[in-house]
Amino acid sequence: MISFDVWGTILNLDLMLESFIDSLNGLIGKDVSEDVMMVRKRIKELRKSFEIKPGRDFELSQELLAEKLTVDIDVIRRAAAKAMLRIGGSIVMDGVHQVLGFIKDNGLKSVIIGNVMFWPSSYTRLILERFELAEYFDRQYYSDEVGLYKPMKEIFIKPLSEFGVSPREAVHVGDSFFEDFRGALDAGLHAVLISRSRSETLSGRGFVIESIRELITLLKAEF
Amino acid sequence: MISFDVWGTILNLDLMLESFIDSLNGLIGKDVSEDVMMVRKRIKELRKSFEIKPGRDFELSQELLAEKLTVDIDVIRRAAAKAMLRIGGSIVMDGVHQVLGFIKDNGLKSVIIGNVMFWPSSYTRLILERFELAEYFDRQYYSDEVGLYKPMKEIFIKPLSEFGVSPREAVHVGDSFFEDFRGALDAGLHAVLISRSRSETLSGRGFVIESIRELITLLKAEF
């Protein structure tokens, strides 16, 4: 079984963040990009140290941002909706269809394991349906729906339990060193980090690739 | 202040339900319309008797439907996303722009107070942004976000407290007799029921109109 992170791995996070920030700027009337990036960093720190109550990471991100910007949380939710209206096909990372097609053709199960911040997973689901990516996945797991977040071991184990797969038969692919790579390794899975720097120290179960396109070659060589 | 129910009042519920059922039929491969309507009825009964834990009505609707159809809840969530992709401008009820424009022009505050079932409020927000209705509202309140549902008095009072308005200065407009009309009257607001039958017994604070178009005439005459 292969599990995938979604934002930054399958969908272009930078584009969506930019669209979200533009929408916020429009609603609030000033540039809030630095505030957004600070809250984002804070949520990632809190996740890394498991300081967020499971199931609360998405809501907390909206609350902290509303507080930071001294606006009602309704403004954050409106900006998320407006951001969605600007999204086009370029949100899908290059090579994704080929990689997911290869996995499907080889009869491997695949799922999404995604953390949620600022916009709800229902929007991510909508994008995956719209660009015909949802069909490739046997199940989607998001932190706001399952009440667990990466790098908690439980969120990596949950799909394996449900599909009757052992961690050693599973590989998780993602672009975050702590949430995806270390999280999956700590849960006993194989892990593939998508990173342009390739400078990470690897364990026997860890691999680094530069883009998701390289996943096919890696899967052929190593699994 | 005027508060509006959303589905069946501002947006065409029948169209969205149809789209949702079509999507489910496609994913499951059989006609599930009766099951959907039975679960819908059940949720409305549970709300009416306040038997759902506040904040749980949306999730419970997806869970009960998944159980009824013996599918994973992921299928329900995918159907909700697919349903959204089929929605066009006809989802906006006739006359809505005129009514909301009239309210705005007269300097009245307006908000949405919506119960959520099967698809999340984030999708409703997306539709309101897409068809340029969101601008008319000072705030949107949904049961899955605020942790309260209609006909709980608290969900009618919450916007009033936040905007410093007394119940007697407020009117709620909706198409559900128990969730909107009785709920708002019990909370001390004026209430307008949108109903084709016009056969309801009225209290001094209750009015019945046949469609939202008639709201302008009613507001001019009574408020």
Side-chain angles (χ1 to χ4, degrees), chain B residues 2-14:
Chain B
I2 308 194
S3 55
F4 287 90
D5 167 51
V6 60
W7 287 103
T9 299
I10 292 200
L11 301 176
N12 190 320
L13 174 63
D14 294 337

Side-chain angles (χ1 to χ4, degrees), chain A residues 156-169:
Chain A
F156 294 101
I157 299 302
K158 189 179 169 69
L160 303 179
S161 316
E162 290 183 8
F163 287 90
V165 175
S166 83
R168 297 299 167 121
E169 296 173 295

Side-chain angles (χ1 to χ4, degrees), chain A residues 12-94:
Chain A
N12 191 319
L13 175 64
D14 295 337
L15 266 187
M16 183 64 183
L17 266 178
E18 197 181 294
S19 177
F20 177 62
I21 289 167
D22 283 350
S23 300
L24 273 175
N25 290 348
L27 285 168
I28 298 175
K30 61 172 183 175
D31 183 16
V32 301
S33 49
E34 276 187 36
D35 294 314
V36 171
M37 297 321 279
M38 278 175 67
V39 172
R40 183 173 140 74
K41 195 171 160 227
R42 180 75 186 129
I43 291 287
K44 290 182 97 60
E45 285 167 358
L46 291 171
R47 279 197 196 122
K48 186 178 157 188
S49 52
F50 306 106
E51 284 177 86
I52 306 178
K53 193 179 151 202
R56 277 275 300 151
D57 62 333
F58 164 59
E59 280 173 31
L60 184 66
S61 72
Q62 290 196 329
E63 287 165 11
L64 289 185
L65 187 55
E67 201 178 296
K68 183 88 185 162
L69 302 175
T70 57
V71 296
D72 189 286
I73 197 166
D74 203 57
V75 175
I76 312 298
R77 292 173 181 147
R78 283 199 62 194
K82 281 179 174 293
M84 279 294 289
L85 297 180
R86 299 164 176 237
I87 292 305
S90 57
I91 201 77
V92 180
M93 303 287 270
D94 287 345

Side-chain angles (χ1 to χ4, degrees), chain B residues 7 18-19 26 30 37 39 43 46 52 57 79 84 95 99 116 124-125 128 130 151 159 162 179 189-190 192 205 220:
Chain B
W7 287 103
E18 198 181 295
S19 177
K30 61 171 183 176
M37 298 319 280
V39 172
I43 291 288
L46 290 171
I52 306 178
D57 60 333
M84 279 293 289
V99 168
V116 179
T124 305
R125 286 179 173 276
L128 295 179
R130 182 170 158 206
E162 290 183 8
E179 295 178 8
L189 286 74
H190 295 84
V192 177
R205 285 181 284 113
K220 283 180 180 164

